Amino acid sequence: MTAFLAQIGTKLADRWVNALLLPGLLWTALLATALHLGQSQPFAAGRLAAWIDQLASRPAAHAPATAVLAVGAVLLTAAGVGLLAGALGGWVERLWVLPADLPLAGWLLRRRQQRWDRATVRLKAAILQAAQPARHDGAPDLAAARVRACQRRRARLGPARPAWPTWVGDRFARTATRAAEVNGLHDLTLVWPRLWAVLPGELRGDITAARTAYAASARLAAWGLLYTVLAAAWWPAALIGPAVLTTALPRARATANVLADLIETAADVHITNLADRLGIPATPPTADTGHAITARLLPVPPPFSANQPLRPDPLP
């Protein structure tokens, strides 16, 4: 047991160092560089080296207590920035699934829908042109290649017209819709904790790893935001931050897609196991089994009270 706990502690420490401390140290170093160089001479490496040499030449810098305090302050700052990036990553995850009824989210949704509509118009035009041999100058291969290119452009925007402000929101919404239509699970959030309890360990490990990767992509986007903030003191950070964000967004799509696929797999393969644990007969149509599971897990309404007024026209 002692060896097992030591191994777990080592893994947690490694994850903490890789996910929080090392990126925090890099951001702290850039912060110190930004505060010292400023906007006027952002690439004055000699000036920065002279400043470091000046700090190292001070008598107090050679005292062990000063060195320990300096290292501790740097590590604490880096760890604090790493924790801030983790918290911002949680907010980024929420932003990726914002509903469309908010002002900025509604604008993003309309923009995505306009892009999808334009891509659809171009795809239809390419299909019509390919269907008329006289209009593509006897080059059917070129016309077919143009159709495939238009299909790929629209597929990058999504398989259907966007209904959420972000691609990630659309992907998770498709998972919930599929669970309702195929598996009969109209409230996947309600059913998921019970379904998780009956999943095999291997699948649970895959889902946990996918969820961790998705959270890491959101944390990477948060680091991009933190690097962009440094542009207020050092303008090259305005290039670093968007570059990090550009890396985080495709990674978020990929990890969200893997996570959604695994959730759909869990619902497809193990819904009968959940029905068996709940004592529900698993009928051949999977949707009926899902309806029965959802009905079983719905919260029980409060008991009737004599002091509660009756509605004359109860809703069906």
Side-chain angles (χ1 to χ4, degrees), residues 85-109 112 163-172 211 214-215 217-226 245 249 252 256:
L88 287 177
W91 284 101
V92 170
E93 291 185 36
R94 294 186 180 185
L95 290 176
W96 282 339
V97 292
L98 277 181
D101 55 354
L102 299 177
L104 180 59
W107 176 81
L108 289 174
L109 175 59
R112 293 189 67 229
W164 287 74
T166 65
W167 189 96
V168 173
D170 270 326
R171 183 63 187 92
F172 288 143
R211 181 66 181 86
Y214 174 67
S217 65
R219 190 167 57 249
L220 182 62
W223 280 114
L225 296 176
L226 289 176
L245 285 172
L249 293 179

Side-chain angles (χ1 to χ4, degrees), residues 116 118-136 139-155:
W116 197 88
R118 288 195 296 267
T120 302
V121 170
R122 287 193 292 266
L123 176 59
K124 290 180 179 179
I127 293 174
L128 290 176
Q129 186 175 4
Q132 300 177 9
R135 296 190 59 182
H136 50 70
D141 294 338
L142 181 60
R146 188 179 298 111
V147 171
R148 290 192 294 270
C150 292
Q151 287 175 336
R152 287 194 297 269
R153 292 193 194 100
R154 196 181 73 166

Side-chain angles (χ1 to χ4, degrees), residues 287-302:
D288 292 342
T289 304
H291 295 327
I293 291 174
T294 305
R296 173 69 64 84
L297 298 180
L298 285 175
V300 179

Side-chain angles (χ1 to χ4, degrees), residues 219-301:
R219 190 167 57 249
L220 182 62
W223 280 114
L225 296 176
L226 289 176
Y227 281 119
T228 305
V229 170
L230 291 179
W234 191 57
W235 69 260
L239 305 176
I240 300 174
V244 175
L245 285 172
T246 303
T247 304
L249 293 179
R251 188 174 299 181
R253 287 190 176 193
T255 54
N257 191 49
V258 172
L259 178 59
D261 284 338
L262 289 172
I263 292 174
E264 293 171 5
T265 300
D268 290 341
V269 178
H270 297 284
I271 186 174
T272 54
N273 296 343
L274 177 59
D276 182 64
R277 293 291 186 89
L278 294 175
I280 298 173
T283 56
T286 309
D288 292 342
T289 304
H291 295 327
I293 291 174
T294 305
R296 173 69 64 84
L297 298 180
L298 285 175
V300 179

Side-chain angles (χ1 to χ4, degrees), residues 42-68:
F43 300 111
R47 179 182 170 189
L48 184 64
W51 175 60
I52 295 175
D53 291 339
Q54 181 183 1
L55 291 177
S57 62
R58 293 180 178 178
H62 301 282
T66 303
V68 170

